[in-house]
Amino acid sequence: MSEIKNRRELIDLYLNFYKSKNHKEIPNSSLIPQNDPTVLFTTAGMHPIVPFLLGQAHPLGKRLCNVQRCIRTGDINEVGDEYHHTFFEMLGKWSLGDYFKEDAIKYTFEFFTKELKLSKEKIAVSVFAGNKDSPKDEESISVWMSLGIPKERITLLKDNWWGPAGLTGPCGPCTEIFYWKPKNIKAPKKFNPKDSRWVEIGNDVLMEYLKDSKENYIPAKQKNIDFGGGVERILSAINGLEDNYLTSCFIPIINKIEKISEKKYGKNKEETRSMRIIADHIKASVFLIADGIIPSNVEHGYVLRRLIRVAIRHGKKIGIKNFTKEIAQSVFSIYEDYEILKKNKEKILEELNNEEDKFNQTIEKGFAIFNRITKDKSEMNCKDSFLLYQSYGFPLEMIEEECEERKIKFSKEEFERECKAHQELSRTASAGTFKSGLADNSEATTKLHTATHLLAQALREVLKKPDLHQKGSNITADRARFDFNFDRKLTEEEIKKIEEIVNNKIKEKIEIKCEEISPLEAKKRGAQGIFDSKYGEKVSVYSVGNFSKEICAGPHVKNTEELGKFKIIKEESSSAGVRRIKAVLE
Ligand code: ALA
């Protein structure tokens, strides 16, 4: 087995291997995707190359490789165990319509067994089992067998499928490679993917399909390979470690936390969990600030704020305060190869410090109120806890923890009920403001709002652009203005067709439904919009029959028949790559 301990050594070995197979290295891009507003963050190496996966020629050719920084907020609540992270690095390789399954699998196998010298006896793989959209992947099975992987180490899985990363785009079955981690226990003959001692170290996505906005899987003209392998996991596997936080990707941070908290990592379960959360979240925050994000209450900035604040909360649990800057220094020491960290060092430290100060003040104020409202009480009522949370920004987790410590009764269910009641109240209130503020015209605006949903879907269909989305919108009582990503003037014929589709939907008298679901569920159901902006929270998804489904705050009419007649009055350029439509309802 390889002696590699350092992440950069692993990355260099990987890149050199693929360069020797005629791959060209592409840059490690920003964590903020440049051309894809349906996702907040770069979650895999393939994000920046979607246009090339779709057929555009890449200036560096058909074989690419890189290491890409990634953020996944999807399992943020899992962070705290041995192997979940929000920030990680992904090794990637791509074939853009060049080699396919056989070579992809052979390269992957060669890298792991020859370069990293992993024993074949400890390798297992999974292959796509087939479903209604795509058949069982027989070819991958025979390639793995030709490489000497026995049948009982090849498992067929229905969910061996990857992508698309956003709502639509390239995707396909995948084949994953697993490694048996324990050093002193022999790998079982038969592979059981549920046994967590088998750890996934790489994934070859065999991109044969394009998913459209109607959930159809269309065979792609260009078949691609998209490989991804997590640096932290691979390092941990090749070093026989049961815990990614013990690899060189984390150990300097963990050591720093140990030093300032005077606590030992691994000794106490809860404290170890807090240390991991601090290490992960501060690392992710450092990289986000380097990529231009600052803490705020919306979108990327909101995620950053949450990461920093959760880290601070866990700092409190292990008895440390004003630590984010110091932890950040240890992040710099691990990632010295990132120019972007060097360049933005001062800014990163300043932003972390500011946010920590702000949050400390919030907590201080919150504690004063907390003490006042719980004085001589054995119970915290839901109105008070809601006030603390909503008006003073005191985190719910802290309310729970403080109540527990002081033996004050607190019901999370009642708190959540109160939250919900309040949400409904404020919704009604804002609908009220809406009505009175716009006097007689509120109805007109509501109608135009619904019409823009129909317009967006009609545009997608007529322009055959499933990834078309809203770039901006402004609605007055007289007209709707809708900006979208498209790079040429629409023809008269296209405009006519769009109007016709919208008007047909109006005639069909379709009911508009609203559901409150999680962003993840919204994504699963194919809704348009931004998904992981406020993880954990519910979003409103408005559906117009099967025609349109969008995350939106509303308000909307109840049935399309209320809309009247839809007409486009202007189509013009708004900015580079963005067109603007003005439309009315007559
Ligand atoms: N894009 C693939 C993944 O993230 C390789 O697993």
Side-chain angles (χ1 to χ4, degrees):
M1 185 158 60
S2 160
E3 289 297 307
I4 289 182
K5 294 216 170 357
N6 178 283
R7 55 168 274 286
R8 191 64 231 183
E9 262 179 80
L10 169 65
I11 294 167
D12 288 339
L13 188 78
Y14 176 85
L15 295 176
N16 287 334
F17 172 76
Y18 277 103
K19 283 178 194 168
S20 79
K21 309 278 183 207
N22 298 322
H23 289 65
K24 294 279 186 310
E25 184 180 346
I26 56 169
N28 182 340
S29 309
S30 170
L31 286 169
I32 319 304
Q34 301 305 303
N35 293 312
D36 189 354
T38 67
V39 286
L40 271 193
F41 298 110
T42 298
T43 62
M46 54 79 73
H47 276 285
I49 58 164
V50 169
F52 311 105
L53 294 167
L54 290 171
Q56 194 178 314
H58 194 286
L60 292 179
K62 294 181 168 183
R63 295 179 175 216
L64 309 173
C65 63
N66 82 348
V67 59
Q68 174 63 48
R69 55 188 182 278
C70 301
I71 291 245
R72 287 190 182 173
T73 54
D75 19 56
I76 194 159
N77 294 327
E78 312 293 331
V79 176
D81 64 11
E82 295 87 349
Y83 52 88
H84 277 99
H85 314 296
T86 50
F87 175 92
F88 65 99
E89 290 183 292
M90 185 182 277
L91 300 173
K93 76 158 188 260
W94 295 274
S95 155
L96 304 172
D98 191 2
Y99 60 84
F100 201 48
K101 288 186 198 184
E102 182 173 351
D103 286 341
I105 293 174
K106 284 185 172 164
Y107 288 154
T108 296
F109 189 70
E110 187 181 337
F111 174 70
F112 283 115
T113 55
K114 300 255 163 58
E115 296 294 314
L116 290 183
K117 302 185 183 67
L118 298 186
S119 155
K120 207 152 86 176
E121 311 310 314
K122 291 184 165 193
I123 284 176
V125 301
S126 62
V127 172
F128 183 57
N131 64 16
K132 65 172 188 8
D133 297 312
S134 178
K136 174 175 162 187
D137 186 3
E138 300 282 3
E139 188 183 343
S140 294
I141 300 175
S142 52
V143 179
W144 284 118
M145 286 179 73
S146 77
L147 294 168
I149 302 295
K151 243 200 156 118
E152 52 282 14
R153 286 277 180 84
I154 302 175
T155 194
L156 289 170
L157 295 175
K158 272 211 159 31
D159 56 4
N160 259 38
W161 185 276
W162 203 91
L167 284 176
T168 54
C171 56
C174 59
T175 177
E176 297 177 311
I177 178 160
F178 291 78
Y179 184 68
W180 178 255
K181 246 189 343 184
K183 273 183 171 155
N184 304 323
I185 308 171
K186 202 167 173 281
K189 258 205 159 96
K190 192 167 164 53
F191 170 41
N192 172 10
K194 292 212 171 96
D195 182 339
S196 63
R197 290 173 296 179
W198 287 104
V199 55
E200 186 231 315
I201 51 174
N203 183 15
D204 269 300
V205 183
L206 318 158
M207 289 191 157
E208 292 181 72
Y209 296 94
L210 285 178
K211 185 181 174 192
D212 69 11
S213 58
K214 293 246 157 76
E215 311 236 333
N216 296 317
Y217 291 88
I218 303 157
K221 280 199 204 96
Q222 175 180 301
K223 289 183 179 179
N224 308 301
I225 291 296
D226 164 39
F227 170 85
V231 168
E232 297 74 6
R233 279 192 181 186
I234 298 175
L235 261 190
S236 160
I238 61 181
N239 287 293
L241 297 168
E242 302 284 323
D243 179 349
N244 293 358
Y245 290 84
L246 294 175
T247 65
S248 63
C249 300
F250 280 102
I251 213 65
I253 315 178
I254 297 293
N255 288 343
K256 183 58 87 46
I257 301 173
E258 282 184 311
K259 197 168 154 223
I260 48 184
S261 67
E262 297 178 0
K263 299 226 149 66
K264 188 118 194 72
Y265 181 80
K267 199 167 166 209
N268 169 297
K269 205 166 160 217
E270 275 311 304
E271 286 174 359
T272 300
R273 186 168 169 267
S274 290
M275 289 182 178
R276 289 180 185 141
I277 292 172
I278 295 168
D280 170 85
H281 286 16
I282 296 296
K283 190 200 275 189
S285 303
V286 164
F287 275 94
L288 280 173
I289 300 170
D291 273 333
I293 305 301
I294 52 170
S296 75
N297 286 330
V298 289
E299 303 196 340
H300 309 89
Y302 173 78
V303 174
L304 173 61
R305 170 159 283 166
R306 281 286 299 261
L307 287 166
I308 302 173
R309 293 189 170 199
V310 171
I312 296 170
R313 226 165 33 68
H314 280 273
K316 190 174 170 294
K317 289 185 183 200
I318 57 167
I320 57 175
K321 211 178 162 184
N322 298 328
F323 61 88
T324 55
K325 257 170 101 170
E326 221 179 320
I327 307 280
Q329 299 283 6
S330 56
V331 178
F332 297 135
S333 76
I334 303 171
Y335 297 96
E336 279 178 339
D337 47 335
Y338 276 88
E339 277 306 312
I340 192 157
L341 294 192
K342 278 196 197 127
K343 238 176 43 201
N344 293 293
K345 194 167 173 176
E346 290 315 312
K347 184 181 162 207
I348 294 168
L349 297 176
E350 195 183 313
E351 289 295 347
L352 283 172
N353 213 29
N354 285 349
E355 186 61 18
E356 189 162 7
D357 280 350
K358 255 192 215 152
F359 190 48
N360 283 340
Q361 281 167 22
T362 304
I363 295 179
E364 232 169 83
K365 248 194 235 149
F367 268 121
I369 310 286
F370 188 105
N371 291 337
R372 207 182 69 218
I373 57 187
T374 56
K375 194 163 183 275
D376 302 325
K377 290 206 178 115
S378 59
E379 194 171 338
M380 160 93 86
N381 75 39
C382 58
K383 291 228 166 0
D384 283 345
S385 57
F386 183 71
L387 176 88
L388 203 50
Y389 169 81
Q390 177 78 2
S391 306
Y392 296 95
F394 203 71
L396 170 64
E397 295 82 356
M398 265 187 156
I399 299 177
E400 284 182 285
E401 282 156 19
E402 285 306 315
C403 285
E404 198 181 314
E405 217 163 88
R406 302 174 192 207
K407 310 238 172 324
I408 294 170
K409 223 169 107 195
F410 168 70
S411 159
K412 195 172 165 188
E413 288 74 43
E414 274 178 34
F415 168 86
E416 275 164 359
R417 258 203 299 279
E418 182 68 22
C419 267
K420 206 157 174 232
H422 204 272
Q423 262 170 15
E424 268 153 29
L425 217 86
S426 65
R427 222 174 264 147
T428 325
S430 66
T433 323
F434 190 64
K435 265 212 158 87
S436 56
L438 294 168
D440 301 339
N441 295 324
S442 65
E443 257 180 55
T445 328
T446 308
K447 284 180 185 171
L448 279 165
H449 206 144
T450 307
T452 58
H453 282 212
L454 297 178
L455 168 64
Q457 187 52 31
L459 279 165
R460 271 175 218 122
E461 290 189 1
V462 173
L463 303 178
K464 299 193 178 40
K465 189 170 166 54
D467 67 340
L468 182 144
H469 50 262
Q470 176 178 319
K471 290 290 250 187
S473 157
N474 171 284
I475 295 174
T476 67
D478 309 319
R479 56 104 185 111
R481 196 179 79 198
F482 183 79
D483 295 351
F484 57 100
N485 55 323
F486 197 61
D487 53 11
R488 65 161 171 83
K489 192 164 177 52
L490 271 57
T491 64
E492 256 175 48
E493 203 182 316
E494 283 166 341
I495 291 180
K496 260 211 191 108
K497 252 198 210 152
I498 293 161
E499 286 176 336
E500 203 178 290
I501 293 179
V502 174
N503 283 318
N504 281 342
K505 293 295 155 191
I506 295 174
K507 277 190 210 130
E508 283 174 32
K509 300 187 180 173
I510 308 170
E511 209 185 302
I512 287 116
K513 279 209 188 106
C514 175
E515 293 165 289
E516 302 269 322
I517 50 179
S518 70
L520 193 72
E521 185 57 30
K523 184 172 181 172
K524 264 198 216 147
R525 295 192 199 171
Q528 300 279 339
I530 290 182
F531 297 99
D532 48 357
S533 57
K534 294 197 176 179
Y535 49 80
E537 292 184 8
K538 298 244 162 165
V539 291
S540 302
V541 173
Y542 283 89
S543 314
V544 186
N546 291 328
F547 182 65
S548 146
K549 200 182 269 287
E550 281 201 37
I551 294 181
C552 173
H556 287 282
V557 298
K558 292 211 156 42
N559 192 299
T560 56
E561 70 174 324
E562 295 168 48
L563 299 186
K565 187 159 181 248
F566 175 81
K567 196 167 165 42
I568 292 175
I569 51 169
K570 199 164 195 175
E571 192 275 334
E572 60 191 350
S573 164
S574 160
S575 60
V578 179
R579 302 295 300 179
R580 169 167 291 176
I581 279 183
K582 286 191 183 146
V584 294
L585 288 168
E586 292 174 336

